[in-house]
Amino acid sequence: MAEPKVGPELARLGKDVGDWDGVISVTPAPGAPAQESKGRLNGKLISGGKWLILDFKNHTTGFEGHGIYGFDPAKKRYVGTWVDDVRGTIDVAEGDWDDDTRTLTYHWSTTLPNGSKMSWTETSQKVSDSEQVFRVFFPQPDGSPFEMMRAVYKKA
């Protein structure tokens, strides 16, 4: 089996390497006040630049999460996994890059302990090589997106 080449898709993930200081705003429900916190995201490439490992630590709340992201050449899509200290599942996503908005959008889904399914969307917009905005959207009952979280990251 031929090894996948590190092309532009993987090079794009390489821009997340390093330490990023974040200001995080979480709105637990529509109309609820936002909760502000600070944290740090660390990114590193492994396996010859084919996989991006992200480690996040919220310095205010203690929350920790870990992701592995790459590009699946067969699907021609980005893929990712995420685990953290709140969830008891490993969540899996697929995503696409939009050149016009410089945004990577992942679509996530999981099965909750009660057996029901939950889906959401996460975006990471590259404002510049030293700033990015990460957002989490959950669908409301009418189908419209609710922005539950926003993190503005600046390269440390």
Side-chain angles (χ1 to χ4, degrees), residues 40-53:
R40 179 166 272 199
L41 183 68
N42 172 267
K44 65 182 174 184
L45 291 173
I46 64 166
S47 301
K50 294 179 188 78
W51 296 100
L52 173 69
I53 305 294

Side-chain angles (χ1 to χ4, degrees), residues 23-27 33-37 147-152:
V23 176
I24 299 102
S25 177
V26 174
T27 305
Q35 301 164 357
E36 303 289 324
S37 61
E147 184 179 309
M148 188 275 300
M149 186 177 107
R150 175 186 294 249
V152 177

Side-chain angles (χ1 to χ4, degrees), residues 29 38 42 48 56 61 63 105 112 115 122 124 126 138:
K38 292 185 178 183
N42 172 267
F56 175 77
T61 66
F63 172 87
T105 301
L112 300 173
E122 296 177 357
S124 184
K126 307 303 180 199
F138 283 97

